[in-house]
PDB file of all heavy atoms in Angstrom:
ATOM      1  N   PRO A  10      87.083 116.951  57.717  1.00 60.00           N
ATOM      2  CA  PRO A  10      86.875 116.030  56.592  1.00 60.00           C
ATOM      3  C   PRO A  10      88.048 115.094  56.327  1.00 60.00           C
ATOM      4  O   PRO A  10      88.305 114.747  55.191  1.00 60.00           O
ATOM      5  CB  PRO A  10      86.653 116.987  55.426  1.00 60.00           C
ATOM      6  CG  PRO A  10      87.456 118.181  55.771  1.00 60.00           C
ATOM      7  CD  PRO A  10      87.365 118.298  57.272  1.00 60.00           C
ATOM      8  N   VAL A  11      88.734 114.695  57.351  1.00 60.00           N
ATOM      9  CA  VAL A  11      89.865 113.787  57.192  1.00 60.00           C
ATOM     10  C   VAL A  11      89.334 112.353  57.189  1.00 60.00           C
ATOM     11  O   VAL A  11      88.642 111.937  58.121  1.00 60.00           O
ATOM     12  CB  VAL A  11      90.892 113.980  58.331  1.00 60.00           C
ATOM     13  CG1 VAL A  11      92.049 113.014  58.186  1.00 60.00           C
ATOM     14  CG2 VAL A  11      91.378 115.417  58.359  1.00 60.00           C
ATOM     15  N   ALA A  12      89.633 111.609  56.144  1.00 61.00           N
ATOM     16  CA  ALA A  12      89.090 110.256  55.981  1.00 61.00           C
ATOM     17  C   ALA A  12      89.373 109.362  57.190  1.00 61.00           C
ATOM     18  O   ALA A  12      88.535 108.545  57.568  1.00 61.00           O
ATOM     19  CB  ALA A  12      89.642 109.618  54.712  1.00 61.00           C
ATOM     20  N   ASP A  13      90.516 109.527  57.823  1.00 64.00           N
ATOM     21  CA  ASP A  13      90.859 108.695  58.975  1.00 64.00           C
ATOM     22  C   ASP A  13      89.862 108.864  60.121  1.00 64.00           C
ATOM     23  O   ASP A  13      89.617 107.937  60.879  1.00 64.00           O
ATOM     24  CB  ASP A  13      92.263 109.019  59.493  1.00 64.00           C
ATOM     25  CG  ASP A  13      93.345 108.599  58.519  1.00 64.00           C
ATOM     26  OD1 ASP A  13      93.049 107.816  57.596  1.00 64.00           O
ATOM     27  OD2 ASP A  13      94.480 109.062  58.683  1.00 64.00           O
ATOM     28  N   LEU A  14      89.291 110.053  60.254  1.00 69.00           N
ATOM     29  CA  LEU A  14      88.339 110.319  61.328  1.00 69.00           C
ATOM     30  C   LEU A  14      87.001 109.630  61.089  1.00 69.00           C
ATOM     31  O   LEU A  14      86.242 109.385  62.009  1.00 69.00           O
ATOM     32  CB  LEU A  14      88.106 111.821  61.477  1.00 69.00           C
ATOM     33  CG  LEU A  14      89.324 112.646  61.867  1.00 69.00           C
ATOM     34  CD1 LEU A  14      88.982 114.124  61.844  1.00 69.00           C
ATOM     35  CD2 LEU A  14      89.832 112.227  63.234  1.00 69.00           C
ATOM     36  N   TRP A  15      86.698 109.310  59.846  1.00 75.00           N
ATOM     37  CA  TRP A  15      85.411 108.723  59.481  1.00 75.00           C
ATOM     38  C   TRP A  15      85.529 107.273  59.046  1.00 75.00           C
ATOM     39  O   TRP A  15      84.524 106.627  58.759  1.00 75.00           O
ATOM     40  CB  TRP A  15      84.770 109.534  58.357  1.00 75.00           C
ATOM     41  CG  TRP A  15      84.512 110.945  58.753  1.00 75.00           C
ATOM     42  CD1 TRP A  15      85.294 112.023  58.480  1.00 75.00           C
ATOM     43  CD2 TRP A  15      83.409 111.435  59.512  1.00 75.00           C
ATOM     44  NE1 TRP A  15      84.737 113.156  59.024  1.00 75.00           N
ATOM     45  CE2 TRP A  15      83.586 112.820  59.657  1.00 75.00           C
ATOM     46  CE3 TRP A  15      82.292 110.824  60.077  1.00 75.00           C
ATOM     47  CZ2 TRP A  15      82.677 113.607  60.350  1.00 75.00           C
ATOM     48  CZ3 TRP A  15      81.387 111.622  60.761  1.00 75.00           C
ATOM     49  CH2 TRP A  15      81.584 113.005  60.893  1.00 75.00           C
ATOM     50  N   GLU A  16      86.728 106.737  58.993  1.00 86.00           N
ATOM     51  CA  GLU A  16      86.960 105.375  58.498  1.00 86.00           C
ATOM     52  C   GLU A  16      86.117 104.332  59.221  1.00 86.00           C
ATOM     53  O   GLU A  16      85.667 103.360  58.611  1.00 86.00           O
ATOM     54  CB  GLU A  16      88.451 105.037  58.609  1.00 86.00           C
ATOM     55  CG  GLU A  16      88.842 103.715  58.002  1.00 86.00           C
ATOM     56  CD  GLU A  16      88.707 103.674  56.489  1.00 86.00           C
ATOM     57  OE1 GLU A  16      88.831 104.734  55.846  1.00 86.00           O
ATOM     58  OE2 GLU A  16      88.464 102.580  55.962  1.00 86.00           O
ATOM     59  N   TRP A  17      85.870 104.519  60.491  1.00 89.00           N
ATOM     60  CA  TRP A  17      85.098 103.544  61.260  1.00 89.00           C
ATOM     61  C   TRP A  17      83.725 103.307  60.644  1.00 89.00           C
ATOM     62  O   TRP A  17      83.187 102.207  60.720  1.00 89.00           O
ATOM     63  CB  TRP A  17      84.963 103.966  62.727  1.00 89.00           C
ATOM     64  CG  TRP A  17      84.259 105.266  62.944  1.00 89.00           C
ATOM     65  CD1 TRP A  17      84.833 106.509  63.033  1.00 89.00           C
ATOM     66  CD2 TRP A  17      82.855 105.469  63.103  1.00 89.00           C
ATOM     67  NE1 TRP A  17      83.878 107.465  63.232  1.00 89.00           N
ATOM     68  CE2 TRP A  17      82.648 106.864  63.280  1.00 89.00           C
ATOM     69  CE3 TRP A  17      81.750 104.634  63.109  1.00 89.00           C
ATOM     70  CZ2 TRP A  17      81.384 107.422  63.463  1.00 89.00           C
ATOM     71  CZ3 TRP A  17      80.484 105.183  63.283  1.00 89.00           C
ATOM     72  CH2 TRP A  17      80.322 106.572  63.459  1.00 89.00           C
ATOM     73  N   GLN A  18      83.152 104.311  59.994  1.00 91.00           N
ATOM     74  CA  GLN A  18      81.821 104.154  59.418  1.00 91.00           C
ATOM     75  C   GLN A  18      81.790 103.115  58.298  1.00 91.00           C
ATOM     76  O   GLN A  18      80.753 102.494  58.065  1.00 91.00           O
ATOM     77  CB  GLN A  18      81.300 105.490  58.895  1.00 91.00           C
ATOM     78  CG  GLN A  18      80.986 106.453  60.003  1.00 91.00           C
ATOM     79  CD  GLN A  18      80.385 107.741  59.488  1.00 91.00           C
ATOM     80  OE1 GLN A  18      80.253 107.973  58.283  1.00 91.00           O
ATOM     81  NE2 GLN A  18      80.009 108.615  60.399  1.00 91.00           N
ATOM     82  N   MET A  19      82.904 102.919  57.641  1.00 92.00           N
ATOM     83  CA  MET A  19      82.967 101.941  56.557  1.00 92.00           C
ATOM     84  C   MET A  19      82.823 100.513  57.087  1.00 92.00           C
ATOM     85  O   MET A  19      82.490  99.613  56.338  1.00 92.00           O
ATOM     86  CB  MET A  19      84.280 102.081  55.785  1.00 92.00           C
ATOM     87  CG  MET A  19      84.491 103.453  55.175  1.00 92.00           C
ATOM     88  SD  MET A  19      83.176 103.928  54.048  1.00 92.00           S
ATOM     89  CE  MET A  19      83.530 102.861  52.675  1.00 92.00           C
ATOM     90  N   GLN A  20      83.064 100.319  58.381  1.00 95.00           N
ATOM     91  CA  GLN A  20      83.008  98.990  58.979  1.00 95.00           C
ATOM     92  C   GLN A  20      81.712  98.738  59.743  1.00 95.00           C
ATOM     93  O   GLN A  20      81.535  97.683  60.340  1.00 95.00           O
ATOM     94  CB  GLN A  20      84.200  98.810  59.926  1.00 95.00           C
ATOM     95  CG  GLN A  20      85.521  98.947  59.226  1.00 95.00           C
ATOM     96  CD  GLN A  20      86.651  99.127  60.223  1.00 95.00           C
ATOM     97  OE1 GLN A  20      86.505  98.846  61.408  1.00 95.00           O
ATOM     98  NE2 GLN A  20      87.775  99.603  59.746  1.00 95.00           N
ATOM     99  N   GLY A  21      80.801  99.684  59.708  1.00 95.00           N
ATOM    100  CA  GLY A  21      79.564  99.563  60.463  1.00 95.00           C
ATOM    101  C   GLY A  21      78.661  98.447  59.966  1.00 95.00           C
ATOM    102  O   GLY A  21      78.477  98.264  58.763  1.00 95.00           O
ATOM    103  N   ALA A  22      78.102  97.702  60.891  1.00 96.00           N
ATOM    104  CA  ALA A  22      77.166  96.623  60.552  1.00 96.00           C
ATOM    105  C   ALA A  22      75.918  97.184  59.879  1.00 96.00           C
ATOM    106  O   ALA A  22      75.234  96.488  59.137  1.00 96.00           O
ATOM    107  CB  ALA A  22      76.792  95.840  61.809  1.00 96.00           C
ATOM    108  N   CYS A  23      75.626  98.445  60.100  1.00 95.00           N
ATOM    109  CA  CYS A  23      74.427  99.077  59.540  1.00 95.00           C
ATOM    110  C   CYS A  23      74.553  99.414  58.059  1.00 95.00           C
ATOM    111  O   CYS A  23      73.557  99.726  57.412  1.00 95.00           O
ATOM    112  CB  CYS A  23      74.098 100.340  60.322  1.00 95.00           C
ATOM    113  SG  CYS A  23      75.412 101.584  60.288  1.00 95.00           S
ATOM    114  N   ARG A  24      75.743  99.341  57.519  1.00 93.00           N
ATOM    115  CA  ARG A  24      75.943  99.731  56.115  1.00 93.00           C
ATOM    116  C   ARG A  24      75.103  98.913  55.150  1.00 93.00           C
ATOM    117  O   ARG A  24      74.726  99.399  54.094  1.00 93.00           O
ATOM    118  CB  ARG A  24      77.418  99.639  55.741  1.00 93.00           C
ATOM    119  CG  ARG A  24      78.232 100.756  56.378  1.00 93.00           C
ATOM    120  CD  ARG A  24      79.636 100.801  55.868  1.00 93.00           C
ATOM    121  NE  ARG A  24      79.765 100.922  54.437  1.00 93.00           N
ATOM    122  CZ  ARG A  24      79.712 102.065  53.749  1.00 93.00           C
ATOM    123  NH1 ARG A  24      79.489 103.188  54.387  1.00 93.00           N
ATOM    124  NH2 ARG A  24      79.875 102.071  52.457  1.00 93.00           N
ATOM    125  N   GLU A  25      74.810  97.693  55.505  1.00 91.00           N
ATOM    126  CA  GLU A  25      74.027  96.823  54.628  1.00 91.00           C
ATOM    127  C   GLU A  25      72.537  96.854  54.967  1.00 91.00           C
ATOM    128  O   GLU A  25      71.732  96.243  54.281  1.00 91.00           O
ATOM    129  CB  GLU A  25      74.546  95.383  54.705  1.00 91.00           C
ATOM    130  CG  GLU A  25      76.002  95.235  54.298  1.00 91.00           C
ATOM    131  CD  GLU A  25      76.255  95.657  52.851  1.00 91.00           C
ATOM    132  OE1 GLU A  25      75.427  95.337  51.980  1.00 91.00           O
ATOM    133  OE2 GLU A  25      77.288  96.305  52.602  1.00 91.00           O
TER     134      GLU A  25
END
Side-chain angles (χ1 to χ4, degrees):
V11 179
D13 292 345
L14 297 174
W15 299 98
E16 186 67 28
W17 61 268
Q18 290 184 356
M19 301 302 288
Q20 300 165 17
C23 60
R24 288 188 56 84
E25 300 299 319

